[in-house]
């Protein structure tokens, strides 16, 4: 499990690091810029997770085909995934434009609103790049090719850092473009990712028996619909989970620029930490899928529980670090005293739910390896939206807890989701490991 998980975790950290870099590098522009870039990124991502979640179906189909030794089927699923990505590009671009048009209705602070609209508008250029990246990444990952993904994301981070430095405040003759410059840097880094993974796929398959050249690239409505049917519940689960944090960001934007900045800083830290169980979840989906493909139910059970154990240990360790050093961690993003003071309180709340956040992630991944994406969507709907969000709103606005109230509500929803999904995985893992006829 670790041989696959560690490069995947490193790749996930590389992915989230780009958002962290953007937030840190616009920090000198003030709390409004931090809030605009952080909130704009998560609102845009809340749309994009519909596409990412749908493409997660490749975890199941490609890994099970690979486990069964059907490389030609892996290629057919890759082509079908690219066809789904083309459709999603049109749909998600339209959804993003609609979201940007609705931003004034969110009642964001005027200073944040003035920056977030141009930032998000320029981010839209990265939509097709992200979808192509998602398809190639799920394909390679499901076939145990993970180290090149990690290297590409390191390269993209270097490009992002350099482009941010050139464009945000203006260096080497480039005009200072503020948060829009950060958006341009993000688009450029995503172009590097998509182009590099395309090159890796083509290079790997150039002389391979049953390579890409032996499988016709043609419209495949049956596979497209299978991806959509399995992927849409995963997309729904992603949307519900990311959407709740996007909603919390929008609610934080109603308070003050300091509150939304502190919220975004802590969200970036929590998101960075979450990449560990998120990478484990991807590894669990692949390893469980491989075992199912070769007819090894007991192996699938072991793979899922190994991911749960690793996530538990990792999240207990990261929670301890956050609890012991909250102020230095917030200080990495900003020197604003108000943001640091509020952020410390929010980070301490985040330590409470980190273990549960990890558990819900890895159990969702293990279930996806089995081909079950519906239950995670339903559990997230109930936990985050029926329970967590109302509690967050009441604590924030009705009882006067402010941003801390928002995070208390988020914690409640995550704890509920984790416990339910853990019980579901326990039941399913026992069923698949039971000998036939037992």
């Amino acid at each position: 499990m670790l041989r696959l998980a560690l490069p995947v975790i490193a790749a996930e950290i590389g992915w989230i690091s780009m958002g962290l870099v953007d937030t840190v590098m616009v920090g000198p522009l003030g709390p409004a810029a931090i809030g605009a870039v952080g909130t704009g990124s998560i609102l845009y991502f809340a749309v994009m997770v519909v596409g990412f979640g749908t493409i997660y179906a490749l975890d199941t189909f490609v890994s099970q085909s690979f486990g069964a030794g059907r490389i030609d089927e892996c290629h057919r699923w890759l082509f079908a995934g690219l066809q789904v990505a083309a459709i999603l590009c049109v749909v998600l671009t339209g959804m993003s434009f609609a979201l940007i048009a609705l931003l004034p209705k969110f009642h964001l602070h005027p200073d944040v609103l003035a920056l977030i609209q141009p930032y998000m508008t320029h981010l839209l250029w990265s939509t097709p790049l992200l979808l192509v990246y998602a398809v190639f990444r799920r394909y390679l990952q499901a076939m145990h090719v993970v180290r090149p993904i990690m290297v590409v994301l390191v390269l993209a981070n270097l490009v992002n850092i350099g482009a941010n430095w050139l464009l945000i405040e203006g260096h080497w003759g480039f005009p200072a473009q503020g948060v829009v410059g950060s958006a341009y840097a993000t688009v450029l880094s995503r172009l590097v990712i998509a182009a590099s993974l395309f090159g890796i796929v083509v290079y790997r398959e150039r002389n391979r028996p049953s390579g890409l050249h032996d499988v016709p690239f043609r419209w495949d409505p049956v596979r497209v619909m299978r991806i959509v049917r399995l992927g849409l519940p995963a997309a729904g689960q992603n949307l519900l989970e990311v959407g709740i944090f996007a909603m919390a960001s929008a609610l934080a934007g109603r308070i003050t620029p300091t509150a939304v900045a502190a919220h975004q800083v802590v969200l970036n830290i929590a998101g960075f930490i979450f990449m560990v169980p998120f990478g484990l979840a991807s590894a669990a989906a692949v390893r469980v899928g491989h075992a199912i493909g070769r007819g090894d139910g007991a192996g699938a059970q072991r793979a899922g529980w190994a991911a749960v154990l690793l996530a538990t240990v990792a999240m207990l360790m990261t929670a301890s670090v956050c609890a012991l050093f909250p102020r230095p961690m917030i200080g990495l993003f900003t020197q604003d005293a108000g943001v640091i003071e509020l952020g410390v309180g929010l980070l301490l709340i985040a330590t409470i739910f980190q273990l549960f956040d990890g558990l819900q992630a890895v159990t969702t991944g293990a279930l996806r390896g089995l081909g079950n994406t519906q239950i995670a969507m339903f559990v997230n709907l109930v936990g985050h939206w029926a329970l967590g969000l109302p509690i967050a709103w009441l604590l924030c606005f009705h009882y006067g807890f402010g941003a801390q109230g928002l995070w208390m509500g988020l914690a409640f929803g995550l704890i509920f989701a984790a416990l339910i999904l853990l019980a579901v995985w326990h039941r399913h893992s026992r069923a698949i490991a039971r000998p036939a006829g037992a």
Side-chain angles (χ1 to χ4, degrees), residues 227-241:
I227 290 174
V228 170
R229 280 197 299 269
L230 182 62
L232 279 182
Q237 181 261 324
N238 276 356
L239 180 61
L240 290 169
E241 187 173 357

Side-chain angles (χ1 to χ4, degrees), residues 392-408:
W393 187 89
L394 285 171
L395 291 175
C396 177
F397 297 106
H398 187 70
Y399 291 104
F401 282 91
Q404 290 186 346
L406 291 178
W407 280 76
M408 292 176 190

Side-chain angles (χ1 to χ4, degrees), residues 35-84:
V37 170
T39 304
S41 295
I42 196 170
L43 288 175
Y44 173 69
F45 191 65
V47 175
M48 289 304 300
V49 294
V50 176
F52 289 163
T54 303
I55 292 168
Y56 280 178
L58 293 179
D59 284 350
T60 303
F61 294 126
V62 177
S63 65
Q64 291 186 4
S65 298
F66 187 77
R70 292 295 306 275
I71 303 301
D72 58 324
E73 284 294 292
C74 296
H75 299 153
R76 291 185 177 92
W77 286 116
L78 169 64
F79 292 157
L82 291 171
Q83 292 163 15
V84 171

Side-chain angles (χ1 to χ4, degrees), residues 125-278:
W125 291 103
S126 66
T127 299
L129 304 174
L130 283 177
L131 292 170
V132 168
Y133 152 76
V135 171
F136 287 140
R137 173 167 177 180
R138 303 330 287 193
Y139 169 77
L140 290 169
Q141 197 167 277
M143 299 178 73
H144 262 279
V145 182
V146 288
R147 292 185 186 277
I149 300 172
M150 177 181 67
V151 173
V152 165
L153 283 162
V154 171
L155 173 63
N157 270 281
L158 295 175
V159 170
N160 190 44
I161 291 170
N164 267 304
W165 183 78
L166 289 174
L167 300 175
I168 291 176
E169 297 186 24
H171 292 92
W172 290 1
F174 285 88
Q177 299 184 65
V179 298
V180 171
S182 181
Y184 283 137
T186 300
V187 173
L188 179 61
S189 64
R190 290 171 179 175
L191 174 61
V192 169
I193 295 173
S196 299
L197 290 190
F198 171 73
I200 290 168
V201 170
V202 172
Y203 179 80
R204 284 190 73 253
E205 303 292 345
R206 68 194 189 286
N207 296 320
R208 187 171 185 163
S210 186
L212 296 175
H213 46 79
D214 293 330
V215 177
F217 184 83
R218 61 188 178 196
W219 173 244
D220 192 341
V222 174
R223 292 177 192 272
V224 166
M225 287 307 302
R226 288 186 66 187
I227 290 174
V228 170
R229 280 197 299 269
L230 182 62
L232 279 182
Q237 181 261 324
N238 276 356
L239 180 61
L240 290 169
E241 187 173 357
V242 174
I244 196 68
F245 286 98
M247 180 61 72
S249 296
L251 292 175
R254 296 185 178 189
I255 307 172
T256 63
T258 297
V260 73
H263 170 83
Q264 289 303 329
V265 167
V266 176
L267 196 59
N268 273 292
I269 294 172
F272 183 86
I273 292 170
F274 179 71
M275 292 302 101
V276 176
F278 191 62

Side-chain angles (χ1 to χ4, degrees), residues 87-128:
I87 298 169
L88 288 169
C89 184
V90 176
V91 174
L92 298 181
T93 300
M95 291 173 61
S96 299
F97 274 119
L99 178 60
I100 293 171
L102 289 173
L103 284 174
K105 304 292 185 182
F106 288 9
H107 303 291
L108 299 173
H109 190 280
D111 294 345
V112 176
L113 181 62
L115 297 175
I116 193 173
Q117 288 180 306
Y119 175 76
M120 289 186 66
T121 299
H122 288 84
L123 271 187
L124 293 187
W125 291 103
S126 66
T127 299

